[in-house]
Amino acid sequence: MNNIIKNALILMAITLVAGILLGGVYEITKNPIKQQQETAKAEAYKAVFPDADKLEAIEDQKASLYSAAAVLSENGFSAEKINEVLRVLDASGKSLGVVMNVTTGEGYGGDIIFTMGVRNDGTLNGIEILTINETAGLGMKADEDAFKSQFKDKNVEKFSYTKGGAQSDDQIDALSGATITTNAMTNGVNAGLAFFKSLSEGGLLDE
């Protein structure tokens, strides 16, 4: 009986010490990790809008994330979310368009988070993926230029994907063996375009 109590106390002490150590590691690393994530996002915004001089929040209730959720819901995007939207300005302060941080929950391996830049005339500058956990050699190819470049410099209302080779600007050639990932990325981009359209029609990009 004494051995059982002794072993239980030792196990409890080990668990307590391990918990304290893990908590300490988390406190030490959380700020550097957060800073690294912010840096990666800023670089991705720059990649999708290279001529941006400044990014600023759109100070209007219609451009709030709550509004974005409503717009996406109305357009049938139940698994997508707009995490952030910023107005893009040039050196003179003129509005060029927006950059967005978008999450699609339809990935095969979970959420995919990416950025996209859209000019005032509706042209999609491109996309950059921040977080993706798809199957190696299949869905992970979504993060390669061969796939991402299909969205670049396109001015369309929405994209669709095909397995037979894209025949028009609004078609994306699906990743071989990764239809789920292709569908997730296509829906994610279309969700961003739908929210951009609501901003444009509301006159919020001309201010």
Side-chain angles (χ1 to χ4, degrees):
M1 180 65 73
N2 288 336
N3 284 337
I4 294 175
I5 295 174
K6 180 180 178 181
N7 290 337
L9 290 173
I10 291 173
L11 181 60
M12 185 172 65
I14 292 173
T15 302
L16 179 62
V17 171
I20 292 172
L21 290 175
L22 286 173
V25 170
Y26 170 74
E27 288 299 322
I28 292 171
T29 59
K30 70 175 183 179
N31 286 333
I33 290 174
K34 183 178 180 180
Q35 181 59 48
Q36 186 178 33
Q37 291 172 337
E38 288 299 316
T39 299
K41 185 171 68 173
E43 291 175 349
Y45 281 158
K46 186 64 177 177
V48 299
F49 227 120
D51 50 346
D53 186 74
K54 180 182 178 182
L55 302 179
E56 68 174 19
I58 300 176
E59 299 297 338
D60 191 287
Q61 186 176 359
K62 293 181 180 178
S64 69
L65 298 184
Y66 176 81
S67 174
V71 171
L72 266 54
S73 178
E74 290 171 3
N75 285 274
F77 298 108
S78 59
E80 282 67 43
K81 179 183 178 183
I82 306 297
N83 305 309
E84 184 177 49
V85 55
L86 300 172
R87 189 199 313 271
V88 177
L89 305 177
D90 65 12
S92 68
K94 179 182 177 182
S95 174
L96 299 178
V98 298
V99 291
M100 285 181 272
N101 181 289
V102 184
T103 295
T104 174
E106 299 185 76
Y108 183 81
D111 288 352
I112 301 174
I113 303 174
F114 65 96
T115 64
M116 56 188 289
V118 189
R119 293 192 171 275
N120 282 343
D121 67 356
T123 300
L124 177 58
N125 276 352
I127 64 171
E128 285 295 326
I129 295 177
L130 293 170
T131 302
I132 184 170
N133 296 293
E134 302 297 270
T135 305
L138 296 173
M140 286 302 291
K141 289 186 176 181
D143 199 21
E144 296 180 0
D145 287 340
F147 178 78
K148 293 186 294 184
S149 63
Q150 296 185 89
F151 295 97
K152 186 176 176 61
D153 297 328
K154 302 290 181 64
N155 190 326
V156 301
E157 185 172 344
K158 64 184 298 185
F159 289 94
S160 62
Y161 61 89
T162 175
K163 297 180 180 180
Q167 301 296 319
S168 59
D169 280 354
D170 61 353
Q171 288 188 329
I172 298 299
D173 195 18
L175 292 167
S176 179
T179 303
I180 293 176
T181 306
T182 303
N183 181 69
M185 289 305 303
T186 303
N187 284 344
V189 171
N190 285 340
L193 290 177
F195 184 52
F196 170 82
K197 182 179 179 181
S198 74
L199 295 178
S200 181
E201 291 179 346
L204 299 178
L205 304 181
D206 301 325
E207 298 174 359

